[in-house]
Amino acid sequence: MSIVKQMIDEIRTELSNGEELEAIKDRSGEFIDSYLPIYNNQIIKEWQNMPSEYDDRGQHEVSTNGSMGIIALMNLDLYLYYSDLFAEAIQEIEGSLEMATIEDTKEGAKL
């Protein structure tokens, strides 16, 4: 299962439990943090597996002035990568919610 699909499933579960989509978006940092690996070997492995366009992106987006170690920089790259995946998952859910609203409106118009 892809990470985006996994995120979509988790967001849908939250929605079915009564959580508002805006509230989920507001705590996106917590959501993304839950995907970040904790141990250095996992950070390195996931960093190596993520798309190369995210390599060193964190260092360019956040002024680190060389103050961060390599593992912290890799983790920052992973955070940005998962942030983009989360945005993609939210976008897909919003699209499906819009389609459901349109379908409900059509059904209501038929009655």
Side-chain angles (χ1 to χ4, degrees), residues 60-71:
H60 297 295
E61 290 195 21
V62 177
S63 178
T64 62
N65 297 326
S67 62
M68 294 178 78
I70 188 68
I71 298 296

Side-chain angles (χ1 to χ4, degrees), residues 26-54:
D26 287 345
R27 52 186 188 84
S28 63
E30 293 173 28
F31 194 87
I32 294 162
D33 282 343
S34 72
Y35 280 86
L36 291 175
I38 297 171
Y39 300 106
N40 290 351
N41 63 332
Q42 292 173 326
I43 292 169
I44 293 166
K45 182 180 177 184
E46 286 193 38
W47 187 85
Q48 289 172 332
N49 291 332
M50 75 178 180
S52 62
E53 63 260 19
Y54 290 92

Side-chain angles (χ1 to χ4, degrees), residues 3 5 8 13 20 26 43 47 60 69 78 90 92 94-95 101 104 108 111:
I3 295 170
K5 173 79 171 104
I8 289 169
T13 299
E20 296 288 326
D26 287 345
I43 292 169
W47 187 85
H60 297 295
L78 284 169
I90 289 291
E92 189 167 322
E94 287 175 332
T101 302
D104 288 347
L111 298 175

